Amino acid sequence: MHLRPLLLLSPALLLGCRRAKTDPTGALDLEVWTESAPDGWTEVKVDVTEQHGAFMVSAQTETQGAYLSVEEVWDPSGNLVMSWEDWDSSDEWIGEPFFAWYKDVFFNWPIREEDGPLEPGSWSVIVSAVNDAWVYKSADLDLSVQRKRDTEPAAGTVHVWLVYAKGVTRESGVQDAVEAAVDQWRTIWAPYGLDLEVEYGDMPGLDPALPVPGEDSDELLKLSRRGNGEQIIVVIGETVDGDKWTYGMAGGIPGPMVPSDRSAIAISWLVHAGKDASFDDDEIRVFGGSLAHEVGHYMGLCHPVEDGYASWDALADTPACSDQSSCEEQLGPNLMFPYSICDWETCSVQEALTDDQVVVSQQYSGTL
Ligand SMILES: [Zn+2]
């Protein structure tokens, strides 16, 4: 059983009271409040000005059996600009917020180029709570809104807090390999106006068989509360949940910029190092690609095609290929391709982003 994260942010927080939490001169502000939604839905108002480039609505609940999602997004002129029905039976995929899968929902807006730029005025985001039969359910909600001040939409810095789990810094060569992989990640992002600032830390209490973000991990929740509010948290462990094949796992598409048990990206150093548990240059290059890929998910990027070749992202400039050979040929070099393409010697380079993917990354509220 864990504590309610948003309540811990402020002892002065009162039910139904909405208040600013951070210095309003910062790049990303934060308002938090709690609300009960007896009918199973609530309207979250977001007031934006010309200075704002994006906003993020987060909702979390402790109500047993309630699953949250975003149903509708209305612009300041009163137009419905996106609805859950757009994605319900679509073979295109725009991320998790329109699906009631979790006890929390994290919604960034705008998402794609065609969704922006953000029109000043009062936006409405309808957040709903349903039960497992998709019937509205009364729920208590911890809500937050973050607005990003953005003077340069085509350029941004992602602030990362990279945290080592227990014992990882004592493994021979691992810290050097991680730092080299971060350099590679920075190189991958540089052509797209994405800058990377990394602060290193460690959490000796965190099991190196990392928890899966979002699966009720008290450890990740605790860690996320120690972040500075503008950082994306990357944890480096030996494995993710003991799995031998998983390079890494992001807490959401997109992931939150508020504390939660999903507010992290879990990365395995051992899977990257291979059977000999020691890094060669090629493994470091792939490691850098994994960091950029998983944090890309966290910033709202989906795979351009899913494994199985029957569903695609909702971006216009990623081809809708439909079998293994055409997908690997057209999209294999893309950073967000769903799997690595390797022979016995080496893995192919997967570092490219399309223009539309760059816009999604730049519009993410944590890209400051
Ligand atoms: Zn992926």
Side-chain angles (χ1 to χ4, degrees):
M1 188 67 192
H2 59 71
L3 297 163
R4 303 174 68 164
L6 290 172
L7 283 176
L8 283 188
L9 285 172
S10 165
L13 196 67
L14 301 169
L15 193 71
C17 175
R18 180 171 172 170
R19 56 182 69 217
K21 287 303 300 161
T22 49
D23 176 3
T25 61
L28 188 64
D29 63 20
L30 171 63
E31 292 175 86
V32 297
W33 72 101
T34 62
E35 198 172 301
S36 70
D39 299 323
W41 64 275
T42 190
E43 177 182 9
V44 176
K45 288 273 192 192
V46 186
D47 292 322
V48 308
T49 70
E50 285 83 2
Q51 294 176 314
H52 295 121
F55 64 78
M56 192 151 184
V57 171
S58 301
Q60 298 167 285
T61 187
E62 296 283 315
T63 301
Q64 211 60 35
Y67 300 90
L68 307 187
S69 65
V70 166
E71 283 203 356
E72 292 174 344
V73 186
W74 296 79
D75 74 12
S77 311
N79 303 306
L80 177 64
V81 293
M82 198 169 277
S83 159
W84 69 278
E85 289 174 298
D86 302 338
W87 309 107
D88 182 39
S89 52
S90 174
D91 56 16
E92 289 187 342
W93 159 242
I94 201 164
E96 296 163 343
F98 294 96
F99 299 90
W101 289 339
Y102 306 112
K103 60 186 170 47
D104 45 30
V105 62
F106 306 103
F107 176 68
N108 191 82
W109 187 261
I111 306 171
R112 302 164 300 178
E113 173 141 49
E114 67 205 82
D115 303 324
L118 191 60
E119 186 188 327
S122 185
W123 286 76
S124 282
V125 176
I126 308 299
V127 172
S128 74
V130 296
N131 65 18
D132 55 9
W134 290 49
V135 175
Y136 284 122
K137 179 177 172 58
S138 166
D140 294 323
L141 304 176
D142 294 319
L143 292 157
S144 77
V145 169
Q146 286 164 296
R147 296 170 302 172
K148 173 172 75 162
R149 285 169 199 266
D150 199 1
T151 48
E152 263 190 283
T157 300
V158 172
H159 301 261
V160 167
W161 187 28
L162 189 147
V163 180
Y164 293 102
K166 182 180 178 180
V168 174
T169 54
R170 289 198 300 274
E171 300 282 353
S172 166
V174 170
Q175 259 181 299
D176 287 346
V178 168
E179 287 172 27
V182 166
D183 287 341
Q184 175 65 15
W185 173 12
R186 190 175 282 115
T187 303
I188 293 169
W189 270 7
Y192 308 115
L194 290 164
D195 200 3
L196 181 62
E197 266 184 27
V198 180
E199 180 190 338
Y200 293 90
D202 62 341
M203 193 180 184
L206 185 61
D207 187 338
L210 297 173
V212 174
E215 294 193 353
D216 268 330
S217 166
D218 278 351
E219 294 304 317
L220 293 183
L221 176 63
K222 266 189 250 169
L223 180 67
S224 71
R225 290 202 186 113
R226 288 169 47 199
N228 73 5
E230 296 197 341
Q231 289 168 322
I232 293 176
I233 299 172
V234 173
V235 290
I236 307 287
E238 199 167 285
T239 62
V240 180
D241 203 25
D243 188 86
K244 276 189 234 153
W245 301 101
T246 302
Y247 286 135
M249 209 176 276
I253 307 175
M257 292 299 291
V258 292
S260 82
D261 65 358
R262 289 217 270 150
S263 304
I265 295 121
I267 299 280
S268 158
W269 70 264
L270 187 57
V271 173
H272 288 96
K275 281 204 177 73
D276 63 359
S278 119
F279 287 92
D280 62 32
D281 288 350
D282 207 49
E283 286 161 343
I284 287 172
R285 179 179 60 77
V286 172
F287 197 172
S290 294
L291 288 162
H293 177 105
E294 293 305 328
V295 176
H297 280 315
Y298 203 86
M299 293 156 69
L301 290 173
C302 303
H303 296 142
V305 61
E306 289 300 336
D307 206 356
Y309 320 105
S311 63
W312 299 269
D313 67 13
L315 301 179
D317 68 356
T318 52
C321 56
S322 56
D323 59 58
Q324 183 175 349
S325 68
S326 70
C327 287
E328 289 187 4
E329 190 190 321
Q330 295 177 64
L331 287 167
N334 193 277
L335 179 65
M336 299 311 296
F337 197 69
Y339 53 86
S340 55
I341 303 169
C342 308
D343 58 25
W344 294 110
E345 294 288 306
T346 182
C347 296
S348 67
V349 176
Q350 298 179 300
E351 299 182 351
L353 289 172
T354 67
D355 292 348
D356 285 345
Q357 288 175 315
V358 172
V359 171
V360 173
S361 317
Q362 290 285 357
Q363 290 189 147
Y364 178 63
S365 290
T367 306
L368 299 171

